[in-house]
Amino acid sequence: VNRDRFSAGMDCAYAWHGVIDRSIRYIEDFQLLRPELWRRFVQQFREDADFDAGWRGEYWGKMMRGACFTYSYTQNGQLYDILSQTVSDMMESADPDGRISSYGRDHEFDGWDIWSRKYVLLGMQYFHEICKDAAFAERIVASMCAQTDYIIEKIGDGPDKMPITAATRHWRGLNSSSLLEPVVRLYRLTGRQKYLDFAKYIVDCGGTDVENIFDLAYEDELAPYQYPVTKAYEMTSCFEGLLEYYRITGIERYKTAVMNFAEQILKTDFTVIGSCGCTHELFDHSSVRQTNTTNTPIAQETCVTVTLMKFFYQLLLLTGDPVYADAFERSAYNAFLGAINTEKVVEPLIAAEHPTWNAEPLPFDSYSPLTAGTRGNGIGGLKLMSDNHYYGCCACIGSAGCGLIPKITLLRAEDGLVLNLFISGTVTARTPAGGRLALKQETAYPRDGAVRITLDMDRDEAFVLWIRNPAWSKSTEVTVNGAPAAVSGGYIQLRRVWKSGDAVELVLDMRTEAVRPVAYAPQVLMNKVIWVKNYIVPTYDRQDPLALRHIAFRRGPLMLAQDNRLGYSVDDPAAFLVGEDGYVEVRFPAEDTAPYAHMVEARLPLADGGYMTVTDYASAGKLWTEESKMAVWMLTEKPVAKPE
């Protein structure tokens, strides 16, 4: 039974140009087309690499998932061959009983062992989706079954088995419980009841050994930052698994839990750049805490951003609610693109703290600043490997963010096609009746809001073209072949007999809107970490007095940001001119002057009659030094919001 409102898997082909295409191909070239990197990651499973209860075993599967998404876009034969070889290498690393682990048997099911095995399974599952060799695909399924059967033999109910929530020393079992997702997917692939039974066991365990987080979400009395464990990335991964379990079982309680969890994130823990967590990688009420200058620079983790993007993509498929497409776009164009290491900077602390390591730039930054700060504040998930090279979790997960953007752009509804993102170029797909369709977008989006969509079809066909009308666009205009069409919130649904050459023109409201901080009362947060066992204990939180002296500016999907290189110190307060309607009359230079590549450059008006130059957030701060110190929340001379 298909329980999703929208569906993917349309065998789309892409001919895009612009920032998205450049980003995907940059990561493919810089990271994914490196056989030696794949060999290094497989090597972790040929030795007791995680002797220290580490997570080196997650690297391969994380990057494999993103590489498979990327291949679906680029169709690069060289990439496919590299992925085929590394999957074969990984299967050859297995023990005779099929076990694949970066942990020796004498200390398995500890630390991040199950978490890493989860990623091996996911990596193989996503390669299986693109695999062109039927016999090889069967070998992959056999390997995944052997890996999972070994786990089931050791983990579960019974006197001789270990509980899933005890198969780690971290986060009360959240990381090990996230095994749920690939187990459900393996059941879907094989139909073997034992995998569904094991999935049910994991769900019944509730995600942690201290509280059933699925029940907490269903009851909806607490936000995720109030749960007794608040690790954002791992918790979201557990709910991804629960979403997959709902798709199989149809148990409405679990759909409700997933939906409640997602809605709470958007309400309580989603920042202007589209990420979570102002305290490490924890849910911590960051929707209101994001303007505190006292927040740690280890925040807004790229692993969290990409996991949210994948979660929002799945929620959009499930529900058809454009709020998740809006959220995905915010994450993609701000936090995610901002994390790409376009300048190939070596993380500054590596040379200083680890002078003997084999230093090299990683493809993604791990943390993103909100108030005045720099990039390059550490490598998330940093581990040294036995060949003296290092890597990190965010560096491995990032390519999935690139690959998800094409996947979400054009989806299928029961009565038509759904266009979610506006990207210059052509997507070739099939119409609902199976005809050929080339959907061409001519646009400078997100630089401006004019989009011309032309359909090239091999035959006329009646269907609905759903076009996302972003929530931030307050005065969208639409025409079909020059005639005005009705505009609605959420999705604009254009129902007609479409003919080759038909054109839809969309004009989105790209006015620059001021975003103000939220005043909040003192509160108790579950965000103090006892790092020895990763337990969370309550801590008292009070709003930083400077928090209300910040303001941010959104133009379309882009947040605007300061950068020291633009001529105005991010540490100096400014007085901005904001209209009574909450919008700002920005100017755009005849010729851009910013000394770095960017999507948009603008001049914000100041009270003294001058202007401050800003660019899009994703392009700022790329030197990872004080020279390119940046801020999306800009300091003002006086408060712009009032305490409650």
Side-chain angles (χ1 to χ4, degrees), residues 417-469:
L417 301 177
V418 186
L419 182 65
N420 289 299
L421 299 181
F422 311 113
I423 299 174
S424 179
T426 301
V427 180
T428 303
R430 292 287 173 182
T431 66
R436 184 193 64 82
L437 166 69
L439 192 150
K440 180 180 181 181
Q441 296 191 71
E442 298 172 271
T443 181
Y445 188 91
R447 189 179 183 90
D448 69 39
V451 184
R452 180 180 173 85
I453 304 163
T454 307
L455 287 73
D456 182 5
M457 307 167 62
D458 59 3
R459 60 178 180 267
D460 299 351
E461 185 177 328
F463 61 86
V464 179
L465 179 60
W466 301 52
I467 301 176
R468 181 175 66 96
N469 185 8

Side-chain angles (χ1 to χ4, degrees), residues 336-359:
F336 175 71
L337 289 182
I340 298 178
N341 184 9
T342 56
E343 302 302 310
K344 297 186 178 179
V345 179
V346 175
E347 205 282 332
L349 294 178
I350 287 294
E353 297 183 358
H354 306 287
T356 63
W357 289 13
N358 223 324

Side-chain angles (χ1 to χ4, degrees), residues 1-4 180-193 195-197 199-200 203 240-252 254-255 318:
V1 177
N2 181 11
R3 306 184 197 280
D4 286 350
L180 176 61
E181 181 187 4
V183 170
V184 176
R185 288 171 56 91
L186 187 59
Y187 168 74
R188 184 184 298 117
L189 194 61
T190 65
R192 298 180 186 178
Q193 184 64 36
Y195 300 138
L196 186 60
D197 292 344
K200 181 180 184 302
V203 171
E240 285 186 276
L242 190 65
L243 190 158
E244 295 286 8
Y245 188 70
Y246 162 74
R247 282 181 167 137
I248 293 294
T249 65
I251 298 173
E252 287 296 319
Y254 297 133
K255 179 182 179 181
L318 179 69

